[in-house]
Amino acid sequence: MINTKSLEGSQMLEINFGPQHPSTHGVFRMNVFLEGEKICALKPVMGYLHRNHELIAENLPYAAVMAYTDRLDYFNSMANNFGYALAVEKLADIEAPERAAYLRVIMAELARIVNHLMLIGFLLNDLGAFFTPVLYAFREREKILDIFEEVSGSRMMCNYFRFGGVKRDVSAETLAAIKKIVAGFPAFLEEFEALLTENEILCMRCQNVGVLPADLAVNAGITGPVLRASGVNYDLRKVDAYGLYDRFDFKVPLGKKGDVYDRYYVRVLEMRESLKILEQALAKIPQGDILNKKALPFLKAPRNFKPAVGEAYGRIESPKGELGYYLVSDGTPQPWRYHVRAPSLINLTVLEDMCVGQKVADAIIILGSIDIVLGETDR
Amino acid sequence: METLELFVRIGIYTLMALVLVFALGVVTLRNLFHCALCLAAVLIGTAMLYVGLRADFLAAVQILIYVGAVMTLVIFVIMLTEHLGEKSIRQNNRQSPAAVISLSGIVVLLAALLLRTPWPVTDKALQAKASVMALGKALMGTYAFPFEVISVILIACLIGAIAIAKKDLPGEDVS
Amino acid sequence: MKEIEFFVDLIFVNAKGWCLDLLGHFLPDWTVVLVSIIISAVVIMVLGPLVMMYLTLLERKVIGRIQNRYGPNRVGKWGLLQPIADGIKMFTKEDIVPAQADKIIHFLAPVIIVIPALMVFLVVPFGERMTAVNLNIGLLYFIAVSSITTIPIFMGSWASRNKYSLLGGMRTAAQMISYEVPMTLSVVPVIMMSQSLSTNTIVMTQAGDMDLHWFVFTPWGLVGFVIFFLCAVAECNRPPFDLPEAESELVAGFHTEYSGMKFALFYMAEYMNAFTLCGIATTLFLGGWQGPLFPSWLWFFGKTFLLICVMIWFRGTFPRFRVDQLMGFAWKFLLPLTLINIPVAALWFFVPEQLAWIYSVPILAVSLWGLVKLNRSFVPEKRIYPLAD
Amino acid sequence: MTLFGTGVLKGLIVTLKNFATSYFRKPDNGGIFTVQYPEERAKEIESFRNFPFLVYDGTPEKIRCVACGICERECPPKCIHIVMETEAGTGKPAKRPAVFEIDYGLCMNCGMCEDVCPFDSIYMDHAFEVTASDRTQELVRPKETLLKSNDYFLKIRPGTATPVDQKRRAAEEKKKTAQAAATPPKTNP
C-alpha cells in the first residue's frame, strides 16, 4: 500500500491530499510528491464534483438555467446570477431598469463581502486556527444571508436575478436593514483585523509564501483578488464598468509581492471598498420598476423566450475573479452552446508553480488563498 | 515486612527475566522497528533495575538520555531510512555457527572472571546516600576535568553535525 | 481559626490516615503499606481520567464562548454529563484496524502512552503533604518519564501504515526533542534557587511571608515561566504547536488510523499531560500550593486550571506554526534565552535583591530585543497597499 | 516600530473580549448567535421558499390545480409528475389531477413552478422538516400530502396570498356578473 515512487531519479513520498481531506475545500485532490516536508511536485486532480452543468443548461430554457447557476459557486449565487443575466441580456438586447440595476449592485457587493469573509475564515482554518475566525465570519455572514433570504427566499441558492431585472422588489425596511449592516460592518472588520492582520504567527506563515509573480499571473489568465495581490490593476468593475459600476466611487486595492498575505489583505481591503459602494448605492437607489417591460411576458412562459440567432459573452468581476458566460443562440428556447469561464478553475492552474519548493503546510494555505469552490471548478 | 521484601525480590527477578527476554528480542526479531522497540524496553527495564538498587538518579538519567533521546533518534533513523521499517532483515547467515562458538567462549571467559572477582560489600558503601548533591559535587569537583573533556567532545560532535547538515542547503550550490 | 484552616488543608491526607489506622487494627503490617500504596495509586488512576474528561468539557465550553457559541449544553445541566456520553460513545464505537497495520504495535501504542502520563502524577504536589511519592529527584523523574511519550507516538504512527500518521510521527519526534531542551534548561534556575530536585522542597522554598514568594515574581522566574509554559504547550501538542495532529494538513497526524477507545486513550494521555505540565509549571514558578487564606489543594488546582484555561485560550486564538518555524522558535529563540536566564539567576543568588533587580531586568530585556533582531524572519513585514483607480 | 508580540496579544484580547461579551451581549451585537433549534426557532422570513405545495380552497376536493402540466414541463430538474383525471362516465379530461407527485429528493427549490403556474395553485412552502428514511418511497410526495389549504397559505405568506386572493375573488365576481349578464333576464309577462 505504501510505497515511495521515484520521481526524477530521487526517492520521494507520494501523498494524496484528498478527495477525503479536511482542508481541500470540497472534493479536490492534490497528488503531492514530498521530500521530507518539502514539496517537489504537485498535481491537482479535479472533476469529483462534475455535474454536467453546461449540458444540462443546453437542454433547458434560458430562464431555468438561472437556478442552476446558483449551484456553481455556492458561496455567492448572487454574483453568478448577475453574470448569467448580463449574458442573456446582451443576447436579447434587454436592459434592466434603474432600480433593478441598483439592487443588482447591492446584492453583488453583499455577496462579495460574504465570499471574502468565508474565504478568510477558512484560510485561517487551513492555517490551523481552531474555527474562531470562521465563526466570527459566520456571525456577520448570517446577517447578510438573512437579507438574501428576505429578498430572494433562499439563503444560499438565491435565484434572484431575472433577465431585465430582478425577481422581487425590496422593501424599505430591508433597505434599512442593509444600511444597518453596512454601518456596523467596519467595527466588525476592525475586530477581525485585530485578531488576524498583525498576528506574528499569521505573518510568519503567510508572508513570502506562495509568491505569484505578476507576469506569470497575467500569462496564466489569473483574475480577481489573486491577480490584484500580485500588483496588476485589473478589475472588471473598472474595465468593463458593467451594471452601474461607473457611477460609484471606489478604488482597487493592489498587493505587491503576490504572496498569501497579500491575497489575504487585498480581500480585507476589497471588503472595505465594497462597503463604500454599498453606502453610495443605498443612498442613491431610486424608486421604479424592477423588471423591464420587454421581459415581463417571459416570466410566465419561459419557452416563449427565443433570442435571435447570435452569440454573447457576459462577464462580471465575481469575488473569485472573472466569471464569464458564453451563450450561442440558434433561435430556439434553449441555448445552442453555453459555457462558463470559471475563475476558480483558471486560478487553480498556477497552484503547482506556487507550491513547489514550499512545505506541506504551505500548499494547504496556498490552495486556501486561491479561493476555489469545487462547484465552480468542476461544474 | 518480610513478606513485602519477598514481593520486591520476586518483582526484581521477574524484571530481570523480562529484560533478558527483550534483549533476546533485540537480536532475534526480524523487523528492525520491533528490534528498536525491544531495545527501548530493555533500557527502561534496566532503569527500573537501577531503581531497585536505589540509584534513582541514574535511573532517571538512563530513561531521559537513552529512552527519551537516543531511542527516539534510533527509531527516527529507522523510519527515515527503511521506508516505514517494512523490510525484515535476516538475523543469521552462514557464519552463525562460528559466531556461536566464539561467543560462547567469550561468555564462559567473562562469567569465570565475574565469578572470581570479589565484590566487597562494605558498610560504607551501604550507608552512602547517592544523593543528587553528592553527585553534583563529585562532577564539579573531583571529576571536573573529565567532565569538561566530555563536553568538548560533545561540542565537536555538534559542530561536525552542523557542518554535515549545512552542505545540503540549496543556497550553497557547488558549481 | 488556624486549626480549622489546618484541618481543611489536610483533609485528604487525614482521610487516608484514618483509613490506614482502621485497617491497621485487624490486618498485618505489610498489608497496610500495600494498602497505602493502593490508595494513592487508585486516587491517581481515578483523578487522571476524571481530570481528562472534564478538561474536554471545559475546553469545549470555553472555546464555545470565545466563538460566541454555547458549547455542549444538552447532556445534563450545563452539559456536565457530556464527558460520560462521550465515553460511552467511544466505548461502543467500532474499533477499526487498517488491514496492513502492524496489529500488535497498533494495539500497544495507545495503551503504553497512558502509562507515562499517569506515572508523572506521582510527583505532582497537589497540596500540603499531598505528593504521592516524595522523590528526591522528583523533577528529573518528571522530565524523564514524560520524555518516554515520544515512543508510543512513534509506535502508533509507524504501525498505522498511513503516510499522514508517518508525517505526524516524524513531526512529533522533532518537536518533542527540540522543546525538551529549552524546557529542561528553563527549570535549571529554579533548581539552583531551591537547591533541590524534589518538587515538595521547591514549593517549600517559595513560601516567604504571605506565602507569596513565588519564583514568577522575579525577572528570571518570569522569563523561565514563560519559556517553560510555551514549551509545555509544545510538549503536549496543543495549538499553536499542534503540528503532530495538524488537522488541516495531516488529517489527525499520528492517530489518523485510530478509532474508538484507542483514540480515546491517545486523547486521554494528551489531556493528562496538559494537566500535569500545567501542574508542574505551577509547582516550579507559581508557588505550587502556596498561597494565603485558601486551603493548599484549592490553590494548586486553581492555579493549574488557570494555566489550562490559558492553553485553551491559545487554542481559540492562534493559527499554527509551520514545521521549520517551530524548530526555529525552539532553537533560535527559546534556547538562547534560557541560556542567558541561567547566569542571571545564578547571579541573583549572590547579589542583594535590589541590586539584582537593577541588573537583571535590563539584561533580560536587551537579550530579548537582540534575539528578536537576530531572528528577523519572525518579525512581520510592514506593507503598504496602493489603492488604484 | 511596534513591539514584537503585540499582534499576538491583540488577538488574545479580541478572543478574551468575545469570551466575556458572550455572556451578556445581544446576538446581533457580538453575543451568542446560535439558535437552540428544537426549542428556539429562527425568525421565519415570509419570502422563504422550500418545497412546493398545492393550494385548495375550503375543502381538499376544491383543488385549484387543473392539471395543465405547465409546471411539469417547466420544472428544471423534472421532479413533478401529473396525470389528469378523466370523468368517470364520459372519459373526458376532468381538469383535475388524478396523480400529482413531487419528488422532494429531486426538487431543487428554485421556484420555477410557482412562477409559471397560471392558476395560482402551486406555491413554495415554509415547512423544512421533511426528513424521510427512504429515498424512493417517502420522499416522493403524493397529492394528498402536498395539498394544503388556502388559510395555511395566507398564514405563512400573507404578502403573496392576499393579492392572489383578491385577484381570484375579483375574477369570480366578474365571472358571476358575466354569467348573470349572459343568462337572459326573466321578462315580465
Side-chain angles (χ1 to χ4, degrees):
Chain A
M1 190 175 87
I2 293 169
N3 61 327
T4 46
K5 270 193 184 170
S6 86
L7 188 92
E8 292 155 20
S10 71
Q11 296 248 304
M12 286 181 212
L13 191 66
E14 182 190 2
I15 290 192
N16 271 318
F17 277 95
Q20 293 96 14
H21 188 275
S23 54
T24 50
H25 298 251
V27 278
F28 176 65
R29 178 151 76 93
M30 285 190 290
N31 205 1
V32 185
F33 290 88
L34 293 179
E35 206 182 88
E37 291 247 347
K38 206 179 82 186
I39 293 171
C40 296
L42 180 147
K43 299 251 173 313
V45 183
M46 49 206 128
Y48 293 97
L49 203 62
H50 181 61
R51 292 155 305 174
N52 232 334
H53 176 73
E54 289 174 7
L55 204 69
I56 287 174
E58 282 163 19
N59 288 303
L60 284 174
Y62 285 90
V65 179
M66 188 66 85
Y68 279 98
T69 62
D70 290 337
R71 272 90 180 156
L72 281 176
D73 172 0
Y74 38 77
F75 278 132
N76 47 325
S77 56
M78 287 290 190
N80 301 341
N81 287 177
F82 200 168
Y84 182 64
L86 275 184
V88 177
E89 279 161 19
K90 240 183 215 174
L91 194 66
D93 200 23
I94 312 172
E95 274 216 345
E98 184 109 342
R99 185 175 171 83
Y102 267 100
L103 284 176
R104 284 178 172 194
V105 168
I106 291 171
M107 293 308 153
E109 291 308 312
L110 282 176
R112 189 183 311 279
I113 290 175
V114 168
N115 182 76
H116 285 355
L117 270 182
M118 295 313 294
L119 169 90
I120 294 170
F122 283 120
L123 175 62
L124 260 292
N125 248 22
D126 291 347
L127 275 165
F130 189 74
F131 290 97
T132 308
V134 182
L135 277 150
Y136 290 172
F138 262 83
R139 196 176 69 200
E140 299 307 306
R141 174 178 180 255
E142 213 50 19
K143 296 175 190 167
I144 297 175
L145 289 194
D146 277 349
I147 300 288
F148 283 175
E149 189 177 354
E150 215 153 292
V151 299
S152 73
S154 186
R155 300 167 79 77
M156 284 177 84
M157 304 298 141
C158 295
N159 192 12
Y160 180 57
F161 289 42
R162 294 286 177 270
F163 319 137
V166 292
K167 182 182 174 188
R168 189 184 280 123
D169 200 0
V170 170
S171 65
E173 293 90 66
T174 313
L175 282 178
I178 302 175
K179 261 183 200 156
K180 203 181 144 205
I181 290 173
V182 170
F185 203 78
F188 162 74
L189 264 186
E190 290 300 320
E191 188 189 29
F192 207 49
E193 276 205 64
L195 178 64
L196 305 174
T197 303
E198 281 172 31
N199 190 317
E200 275 84 2
I201 302 176
L202 183 109
C203 292
M204 254 193 243
R205 286 292 306 275
C206 293
Q207 288 182 342
N208 302 317
V209 166
V211 176
L212 179 66
D215 52 342
L216 176 64
V218 172
N219 288 342
I222 310 300
T223 45
V226 182
L227 177 71
R228 291 194 287 276
S230 296
V232 182
N233 183 7
Y234 181 75
D235 189 326
L236 284 177
R237 292 175 292 177
K238 292 280 188 194
V239 175
D240 267 12
Y242 62 91
L244 296 174
Y245 277 111
D246 49 347
R247 298 196 197 173
F248 302 114
D249 171 37
F250 67 99
K251 304 273 192 229
V252 182
L254 297 179
K256 280 221 178 88
K257 276 255 172 66
D259 55 8
V260 174
Y261 190 80
D262 276 355
R263 267 168 247 150
Y264 152 74
Y265 204 66
V266 159
R267 285 183 171 111
V268 172
L269 291 173
E270 271 189 19
M271 281 198 268
R272 294 190 188 279
E273 296 303 318
S274 288
L275 287 178
K276 269 197 220 163
I277 298 175
L278 279 171
E279 269 169 21
Q280 296 167 40
L282 286 167
K284 285 197 279 191
I285 184 166
Q287 292 296 328
D289 283 340
I290 54 153
L291 201 65
N292 196 316
K293 291 275 179 305
K294 267 204 250 174
L296 207 53
F298 304 127
L299 266 195
K300 283 276 169 194
R303 266 167 217 276
N304 290 351
F305 182 72
K306 293 172 190 164
V309 180
E311 57 177 7
Y313 180 64
R315 57 177 187 174
I316 61 148
E317 180 70 28
S318 106
K320 297 186 165 53
E322 177 184 331
L323 174 63
Y325 291 89
Y326 176 62
L327 282 167
V328 180
S329 163
D330 56 353
T332 55
Q334 293 99 357
W336 182 79
R337 178 76 179 99
Y338 165 85
H339 177 71
V340 183
R341 183 216 185 269
S344 296
L345 173 69
I346 292 168
N347 290 356
L348 203 53
T349 52
V350 285
L351 182 66
E352 185 172 7
D353 296 279
M354 288 196 272
C355 286
V356 169
Q358 312 269 10
K359 302 274 188 293
V360 182
D362 294 334
I364 304 283
I365 61 167
I366 291 167
L367 178 68
S369 74
I370 296 174
D371 190 6
I372 58 161
V373 160
L374 269 298
E376 192 177 67
T377 307
D378 296 341
R379 277 160 289 156
Chain B
M1 282 299 126
E2 268 173 19
T3 341
L4 211 60
E5 235 155 64
L6 185 72
F7 279 145
V8 172
R9 205 164 266 269
I10 291 171
I12 284 182
Y13 279 115
T14 327
L15 199 62
M16 283 176 177
L18 270 177
V19 168
L20 281 178
V21 168
F22 279 117
L24 210 63
V26 176
V27 288
T28 51
L29 283 179
R30 297 171 68 87
N31 189 316
L32 209 53
F33 190 80
H34 291 176
C35 295
L37 287 180
C38 281
L39 185 55
V42 169
L43 292 171
I44 292 173
T46 320
M48 281 154 97
L49 284 176
Y50 287 156
V51 174
L53 296 169
R54 300 201 186 144
D56 299 357
F57 183 79
L58 200 59
V61 169
Q62 159 101 358
I63 287 183
L64 182 62
I65 308 249
Y66 283 101
V67 184
V70 175
M71 276 326 293
T72 312
L73 212 64
V74 167
I75 296 176
F76 200 76
V77 168
I78 291 173
M79 280 164 92
L80 272 179
T81 54
E82 289 291 313
H83 311 318
L84 292 162
E86 263 186 325
K87 273 184 203 155
S88 14
I89 40 168
R90 280 175 61 86
Q91 290 279 31
N92 51 355
N93 54 15
R94 264 185 298 166
Q95 288 156 348
S96 50
V100 166
I101 292 164
S102 58
L103 269 175
S104 47
I106 293 173
V107 166
V108 168
L109 203 69
L110 278 177
L113 266 175
L114 283 173
L115 290 173
R116 274 191 204 168
T117 316
W119 299 92
V121 183
T122 56
D123 284 346
K124 199 181 160 195
L126 275 179
Q127 277 160 14
K129 261 195 170 174
S131 78
V132 183
M133 198 173 272
L135 260 170
K137 277 190 175 152
L139 276 180
M140 284 296 166
T142 327
Y143 302 106
F145 183 69
F147 188 70
E148 291 303 319
V149 168
I150 288 171
S151 68
V152 168
I153 293 173
L154 281 177
I155 284 178
C157 289
L158 273 177
I159 293 169
I162 291 168
I164 292 167
K166 191 102 181 161
K167 246 179 210 168
D168 289 309
L169 274 183
E172 293 172 24
D173 206 14
V174 265
S175 54
Chain C
M1 196 61 214
K2 199 78 184 160
E3 273 167 14
I4 294 173
E5 207 177 286
F6 193 68
F7 174 74
V8 178
D9 231 22
L10 296 178
I11 187 161
F12 296 112
V13 180
N14 289 339
K16 190 183 160 190
W18 291 328
C19 280
L20 292 181
D21 276 353
L22 202 70
L23 288 170
H25 289 303
F26 46 88
L27 280 178
D29 273 356
W30 62 271
T31 36
V32 176
V33 179
L34 254 174
V35 167
S36 160
I37 293 171
I38 287 170
I39 288 177
S40 295
V42 166
V43 166
I44 284 170
M45 295 264 209
V46 172
L47 184 76
L50 201 73
V51 158
M52 172 262 172
M53 282 162 88
Y54 279 92
L55 273 190
T56 57
L57 181 68
L58 179 78
E59 172 158 42
R60 289 164 73 181
K61 281 294 223 190
V62 171
I63 286 194
R65 285 290 171 172
I66 283 175
Q67 295 169 348
N68 297 323
R69 305 183 279 113
Y70 286 103
N73 63 352
R74 289 300 162 112
V75 192
K77 183 84 178 156
W78 304 310
L80 278 179
L81 299 177
Q82 182 72 39
I84 294 160
D86 286 346
I88 292 169
K89 183 190 118 187
M90 284 299 182
F91 266 116
T92 51
K93 264 198 151 177
E94 187 189 353
D95 173 41
I96 299 163
V97 182
Q100 296 285 315
D102 191 323
K103 305 266 177 341
I104 300 165
I105 296 184
H106 188 269
F107 168 77
L108 278 180
V111 178
I112 292 178
I113 200 170
V114 183
I115 296 171
L118 275 171
M119 272 169 74
V120 289
F121 272 88
L122 279 184
V123 292
V124 178
F126 293 103
E128 204 166 352
R129 286 201 243 161
M130 273 168 72
T131 319
V133 181
N134 190 12
L135 284 177
N136 71 343
I137 52 148
L139 203 52
L140 200 63
Y141 168 86
F142 174 79
I143 290 166
V145 170
S146 60
S147 77
I148 302 180
T149 316
T150 337
I151 286 181
I153 287 179
F154 257 143
M155 288 163 69
S157 70
W158 179 82
S160 301
R161 299 290 165 105
N162 181 313
K163 290 171 186 173
Y164 294 124
S165 304
L166 180 71
L167 275 177
M170 301 279 211
R171 285 179 173 191
T172 319
Q175 178 176 335
M176 285 208 158
I177 293 179
S178 308
Y179 276 85
E180 222 152 72
V181 176
M183 184 161 106
T184 315
L185 286 177
S186 70
V187 169
V188 171
V190 175
I191 300 171
M192 292 197 305
M193 282 300 151
S194 51
Q195 301 188 342
S196 168
L197 281 170
S198 151
T199 45
N200 237 356
T201 322
I202 289 170
V203 177
M204 297 291 202
T205 45
Q206 298 182 58
D209 41 313
M210 284 295 284
D211 291 349
L212 278 172
H213 190 69
W214 304 351
F215 286 147
V216 76
F217 298 136
T218 56
W220 57 268
L222 184 65
V223 171
F225 170 66
V226 171
I227 293 170
F228 184 88
F229 185 66
L230 286 178
C231 294
V233 174
E235 279 281 296
C236 50
N237 303 334
R238 292 186 56 87
F241 307 101
D242 59 336
L243 281 104
E245 310 168 8
E247 194 215 352
S248 60
E249 295 148 29
L250 302 182
V251 187
F254 60 87
H255 53 59
T256 305
E257 294 290 0
Y258 281 93
S259 59
M261 210 50 214
K262 288 182 189 166
F263 170 76
L265 286 177
F266 270 119
Y267 225 69
M268 191 193 269
E270 187 187 321
Y271 277 82
M272 287 193 305
N273 275 337
F275 178 80
T276 42
L277 278 163
C278 285
I280 288 292
T282 307
T283 308
L284 294 179
F285 297 100
L286 299 183
W289 40 260
Q290 303 280 6
L293 293 176
F294 301 108
S296 58
W297 40 272
L298 198 65
W299 269 108
F300 175 82
F301 279 100
K303 288 176 202 170
T304 306
F305 274 96
L306 195 72
L307 286 186
I308 289 171
C309 283
V310 174
M311 275 192 179
I312 296 169
W313 186 16
F314 278 7
R315 186 173 188 199
T317 312
F318 293 139
R320 181 185 305 127
F321 279 97
R322 200 172 59 209
V323 139
D324 52 331
Q325 293 160 345
L326 180 96
M327 302 307 247
F329 189 64
W331 291 105
K332 296 190 210 155
F333 192 84
L334 295 181
L335 185 62
L337 203 57
T338 45
L339 290 177
I340 294 165
N341 201 25
I342 292 172
V344 168
L347 269 176
W348 184 280
F349 193 71
F350 296 110
V351 175
E353 196 167 328
Q354 268 87 12
L355 192 67
W357 271 96
I358 290 166
Y359 79 80
S360 54
V361 173
I363 289 180
L364 288 173
V366 165
S367 50
L368 197 67
W369 179 81
L371 282 174
V372 171
K373 278 280 148 200
L374 284 171
N375 289 302
R376 237 167 296 139
S377 63
F378 294 170
V379 183
E381 288 170 24
K382 281 271 166 271
R383 294 190 179 178
I384 296 157
Y385 291 84
L387 294 172
D389 277 315
Chain D
M1 191 206 133
T2 48
L3 266 170
F4 179 69
T6 37
V8 167
L9 290 179
K10 259 194 208 169
L12 284 173
I13 289 167
V14 169
T15 40
L16 186 65
K17 203 188 82 198
N18 271 284
F19 176 76
T21 52
S22 71
Y23 282 97
F24 54 85
R25 286 257 184 97
K26 289 246 160 57
D28 57 341
N29 193 21
I32 286 182
F33 67 99
T34 48
V35 177
Q36 299 288 298
Y37 162 59
E39 295 95 38
E40 292 173 35
R41 271 157 193 273
K43 186 184 69 175
E44 207 162 89
I45 291 169
E46 195 192 322
S47 56
F48 172 55
R49 58 179 151 84
N50 207 26
F51 293 110
F53 71 101
L54 290 172
V55 185
Y56 65 79
D57 293 305
T59 56
E61 286 77 49
K62 284 206 217 156
I63 180 169
R64 279 186 194 172
C65 177
V66 297
C68 65
I70 290 179
C71 52
E72 186 182 22
R73 201 181 59 200
E74 295 299 340
C75 175
K78 304 275 178 264
C79 68
I80 306 176
H81 175 58
I82 306 173
V83 175
M84 194 187 275
E85 198 176 317
T86 45
E87 296 284 3
T90 55
K92 270 198 234 163
K95 293 202 170 177
R96 262 198 322 273
V99 180
F100 195 110
E101 286 175 346
I102 297 181
D103 188 347
Y104 275 12
L106 215 56
C107 175
M108 64 175 195
N109 324 8
C110 64
M112 257 328 242
C113 45
E114 178 185 284
D115 284 354
V116 296
C117 181
F119 298 99
D120 309 314
S121 74
I122 188 164
Y123 281 101
M124 305 306 276
D125 202 349
H126 278 191
F128 55 88
E129 286 149 325
V130 282
T131 50
S133 55
D134 181 64
R135 191 186 299 192
T136 50
Q137 302 297 313
E138 286 172 51
L139 271 182
V140 181
R141 296 293 169 115
K143 189 173 73 182
E144 289 70 38
T145 46
L146 288 174
L147 277 173
K148 279 173 185 173
S149 73
N150 192 31
D151 296 334
Y152 172 78
F153 183 36
L154 271 167
K155 201 186 94 209
I156 61 164
R157 291 173 64 179
T160 319
T162 327
V164 167
D165 262 16
Q166 280 165 0
K167 196 182 84 189
R168 285 179 67 85
R169 218 170 294 137
E172 229 165 83
E173 301 264 314
K174 213 168 151 192
K175 210 168 153 192
K176 250 183 214 161
T177 43
Q179 260 176 359
T183 45
K186 280 183 186 167
T187 46
N188 278 332

